[in-house]
Amino acid sequence: MKYIVIAALVLFSCKKENHKPEVKKDSLEAVKPVPNTQAQKDFDILKTLLDEEVKSEKPKEIDYKNYTVSFKNDEDPYSVTLQKIASEDFNNDGITDYIIERNSEGMLGGNSNTNSEILYIIMGKDNKISQRHEILEYAPFSYNIINGLSYENGKLKAVATQNYRSYSKPADSLESTELSFVYKDGNVYEESYLTSCNLAKWKDKKIFKSAKEHKRSIDIHNYTETVEEKYTSDKFEATAELSGCDNLVTVFEGTYKTTDLSSKSIVEKRKQFLDFLVKNTNLQKDLSTIQTYYLTHQPSEEYAETGNLYFKIFTTKDKGKIEFRLVMNTTDNPKQNENWEVTTRAK
């Protein structure tokens, strides 16, 4: 299978009894926000983000007037510039939120320090950042390049074009598609995901039945929703990542604390891991199929295939722990096998 992404998906509803039309807290039809306090008015999000850039680095120069910082970076210099695209109360909690463009420019324009991204910054109380969502505009080998940004009435519109470095096409053959981003129901969405992706229709996209942590965001490459969760118990920790459009991509990782790193112990822990996933997640059907498969098959370097389910389990051991990583792909739409097909919601 060509396409695996890192990253996942959730929708909520609320109910209110009166004769007035219902207004969702995070909907674009905003209730009138509480006026900003003086502390909010004096807050400078660009300065805050610029200070984050220099926290662990030694800058060559900081320009707070133009929100630019330069770094020597061992004779491979680069500079970061921030600019505000929009400032608005996206979740209608009375606190101003922001859309920021971050540009980093390095030497020759093709190294790792040359990149750009869009940041949705959702603020909480006391000028603390509550959520941060990233959409990649450009990197040397990003799948797509985003440009033509414009913001109006709660929507950030843009154009995504295939990156020639990743698709190896002549310039006149590169494809483009229009995008529209909104903040809605506690997350950033590309609007075509909400209307054209089967996974957007899930009412509950939680993975673990009981998760310690649950986080939603947007995939930086193909603009699908992502879900990340974490489960912990005594001597065991598990994480899960879920994303996709019509096809579901899920990655589970489990870590067992143990001093016994023998082959027998690894086999026993692998069985425990798969049994845990079957009993403690909301993807029981597919995971039961995988569990049954590994009762009679040894893990191999190749992906196993059963119907529309593709999967592979990885095992690593280190001092005091055994780790497993299960990659599971459910293919309901064979026309979405690679990034551009997912980005354009191919049917």
Side-chain angles (χ1 to χ4, degrees), residues 3-19:
Y3 171 61
I4 297 175
V5 294
I6 300 176
L9 316 154
V10 186
L11 293 164
F12 298 102
S13 63
C14 56
K15 199 171 185 180
K16 186 177 182 181
E17 288 187 15
N18 58 34
H19 298 291

Side-chain angles (χ1 to χ4, degrees), residues 108-121:
L108 305 178
N111 66 10
S112 60
N113 293 315
T114 299
N115 53 72
S116 57
E117 59 192 353
I118 300 162
L119 301 174
Y120 271 76
I121 305 294

Side-chain angles (χ1 to χ4, degrees), residues 24 48 60 101 118-119 151 246 275 280 293:
K24 291 184 180 181
T48 297
K60 178 181 179 182
E101 185 174 31
I118 300 162
L119 301 174
Y151 179 83
D246 290 345
D275 190 56
N280 293 279
Y293 177 88

Side-chain angles (χ1 to χ4, degrees), residues 32-130:
K32 186 175 180 180
V34 178
N36 285 342
T37 64
Q38 188 61 43
Q40 286 177 249
K41 291 180 180 179
D42 294 339
F43 177 68
D44 189 341
I45 183 63
L46 295 182
K47 182 181 183 302
T48 297
L49 295 176
L50 204 64
D51 287 340
E52 285 186 3
E53 295 281 347
V54 305
K55 183 176 291 186
S56 59
E57 302 286 343
K58 292 184 178 180
K60 178 181 179 182
E61 181 181 359
I62 307 176
D63 181 355
Y64 283 109
K65 182 178 179 181
N66 296 301
Y67 300 105
T68 299
V69 58
S70 300
F71 299 96
K72 288 184 177 181
N73 193 39
D74 294 330
E75 307 307 321
D76 185 13
Y78 69 98
S79 62
V80 175
T81 302
L82 303 169
Q83 76 174 47
K84 193 184 302 179
I85 297 175
S87 54
E88 197 169 309
D89 183 6
F90 297 123
N91 57 354
N92 307 316
D93 62 353
I95 303 173
T96 301
D97 308 303
Y98 306 94
I99 303 176
I100 306 297
E101 185 174 31
R102 178 189 180 276
N103 286 296
S104 177
E105 294 187 10
M107 294 180 65
L108 305 178
N111 66 10
S112 60
N113 293 315
T114 299
N115 53 72
S116 57
E117 59 192 353
I118 300 162
L119 301 174
Y120 271 76
I121 305 294
I122 307 302
M123 301 299 296
K125 294 181 180 180
D126 302 321
N127 294 327
K128 302 295 184 183
I129 295 176
S130 176

Side-chain angles (χ1 to χ4, degrees), residues 57 112 128 176 204 215 229 241-242 296 308 310 321:
E57 302 286 343
S112 60
K128 302 295 184 183
S176 297
D204 184 357
K215 177 185 176 183
E229 291 188 350
E241 298 177 357
L242 179 151
T296 55
N308 67 340
Y310 297 80
K321 62 183 179 181

Side-chain angles (χ1 to χ4, degrees), residues 33 74 118 136 138 162 174 206 302 304 339 345:
D74 294 330
I118 300 162
L136 186 62
Y138 170 79
Q162 293 175 320
L174 296 172
K206 293 180 180 178
E302 303 296 327
N339 186 80
R345 322 307 185 202

